[in-house]
């Protein structure tokens, strides 16, 4: 068996930790045993939000130099949210490359660093669902809807929740 890379060893360790003690409402692990760099995730919508009772499927893709570089997370199917692009890709500080933000929206300590973990990423994404950052939106249409017609926004999200449950 070939020697595992640093990234593979780290991902295996994180998977074992998540399996032993998963955070409530989060299930994640490699999509298949032969590739530790692509994980399937199920995230429960946070209670008290329009996403409540939803179970949303996402794919976490890790770069070969993980943990030096951040993974990417994509909801599949996409869900409506100000910080999720229309194609399902998540835009959140913790998944942005380390260092200073060229746009100066984020402090360096809010961005990716190798001390972050899969668990912290997924908890941050669930928290983002509950509290969107409309000042730095990824999906401009969702931001406008959130600000200008919250009732319509919540109606669309409730439909996303129903779809997530196969209803």
């Amino acid at each position: 068996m070939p020697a595992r890379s640093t990234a593979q060893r780290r991902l295996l360790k994180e998977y074992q930790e998540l399996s032993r003690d998963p955070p409530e409402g989060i299930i994640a692990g490699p999509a298949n045993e032969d590739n530790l760099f692509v994980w399937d995730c199920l995230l429960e919508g946070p209670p008290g939000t329009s996403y409540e009772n939803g179970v949303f499927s996402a794919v976490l893709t890790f770069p070969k130099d993980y943990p030096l570089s951040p993974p990417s997370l994509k909801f599949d199917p996409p869900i409506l949210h100000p910080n999720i692009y229309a194609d399902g890709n998540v835009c959140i500080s913790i998944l942005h490359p380390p260092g200073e933000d060229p746009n100066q929206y984020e402090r360096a300590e809010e961005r990716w660093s190798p001390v972050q973990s899969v668990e912290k990423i997924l908890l941050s994404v669930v928290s983002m669902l509950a509290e969107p950052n409309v000042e730095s939106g990824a999906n401009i249409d969702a931001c406008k809807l959130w600000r200008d017609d919250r009732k319509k926004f919540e109606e669309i999200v409730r439909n996303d929740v129903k779809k997530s449950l196969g209803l």
Side-chain angles (χ1 to χ4, degrees):
M1 184 168 145
R4 291 191 185 270
S5 69
T6 302
Q8 288 171 313
R9 285 193 303 274
R10 166 82 179 254
L11 288 167
L12 189 57
K13 182 175 181 258
E14 289 198 52
Y15 174 55
Q16 290 166 338
E17 288 170 7
L18 266 177
S19 299
R20 239 190 336 270
D21 187 20
E24 194 171 324
I26 295 175
I27 298 172
N32 73 59
E33 292 174 11
D34 300 328
N35 183 0
L36 292 172
F37 292 94
V38 178
W39 288 27
D40 288 332
C41 309
L42 291 175
L43 305 176
E44 212 173 276
T49 71
S50 308
Y51 300 93
E52 184 171 26
N53 299 322
V55 179
F56 303 101
S57 171
V59 176
L60 194 55
T61 306
F62 298 90
K64 296 295 179 211
D65 68 345
Y66 180 80
L68 299 177
S69 297
S72 61
L73 183 73
K74 182 176 184 174
F75 281 95
D76 185 22
I79 58 176
L80 183 70
H81 189 279
N83 306 114
I84 300 173
Y85 289 100
D87 69 358
N89 277 300
V90 172
C91 180
I92 188 173
S93 301
I94 194 173
L95 294 178
H96 293 165
E100 292 301 317
D101 177 8
N103 301 316
Q104 301 186 337
Y105 284 120
E106 306 160 335
R107 297 187 317 274
E109 58 271 18
E110 296 172 319
R111 296 166 70 88
W112 177 257
S113 83
V115 300
Q116 308 290 16
S117 66
V118 172
E119 179 176 348
K120 182 139 193 256
I121 292 166
L122 297 175
L123 288 170
S124 295
V125 169
V126 170
S127 176
M128 174 202 78
L129 289 177
E131 298 175 28
N133 177 358
V134 291
E135 301 306 312
S136 175
N139 183 330
I140 302 307
D141 294 335
C143 287
K144 285 179 59 139
L145 208 50
W146 168 268
R147 274 196 310 266
D148 303 340
D149 191 351
R150 188 72 58 89
K151 191 173 176 186
K152 178 74 173 159
F153 178 90
E154 290 175 354
E155 183 183 315
I156 293 169
V157 169
R158 280 192 297 277
N159 283 329
D160 286 344
V161 167
K162 286 178 186 168
K163 278 189 235 159
S164 84
L165 300 172
L167 303 174

